[in-house]
Amino acid sequence: DYKGQKLAEQIFQGIILVSAVIGFIYGYITEQFGWTVYIVMAGFALSCLLTLPPWPMYRRNPLKWLPVQESGTEEKKTADRKPKRHSKS
């Protein structure tokens, strides 16, 4: 559903943003750029774990689909058509 997709996107972006800020601050304090990268990668992994699987919290508002129509009318239309003849040049 669309509300679930919006929620997943907000959670994903929020975790990435928070982990980037925390990683930058920690990396600046320790003067180690590697820690910044590790923290951002951990945030990315956490956000993927929370948003990629189809958790029930993302499926609360299912879409209402149209009912299935019979395909017999389409078969009649194609059967009634005359085959096209190509003119010879």
Side-chain angles (χ1 to χ4, degrees):
D1 64 58
Y2 294 115
K3 291 181 183 180
Q5 289 177 2
K6 182 179 179 182
L7 177 63
E9 182 70 22
Q10 289 174 342
I11 290 172
F12 183 80
Q13 289 180 355
I15 292 173
I16 293 293
L17 180 66
V18 169
S19 67
V21 169
I22 291 172
F24 178 78
I25 291 171
Y26 187 76
Y28 184 78
I29 290 171
T30 61
E31 297 179 1
Q32 294 289 323
F33 183 71
W35 279 106
T36 301
V37 173
Y38 293 143
I39 292 172
V40 171
M41 287 172 52
F44 178 75
L46 177 65
S47 63
C48 285
L49 180 68
L50 292 176
T51 59
L52 290 180
W55 297 108
M57 66 181 173
Y58 302 130
R59 296 184 288 154
R60 291 183 181 163
N61 304 303
L63 297 175
K64 304 223 182 334
W65 296 93
L66 293 175
V68 176
Q69 296 180 353
E70 295 295 325
S71 63
T73 57
E74 290 179 21
E75 290 175 6
K76 283 184 180 179
K77 288 180 183 177
T78 57
D80 292 341
R81 292 184 188 163
K82 294 181 181 178
K84 293 183 180 178
R85 295 185 184 208
H86 298 287
S87 61
K88 296 181 181 179
S89 301

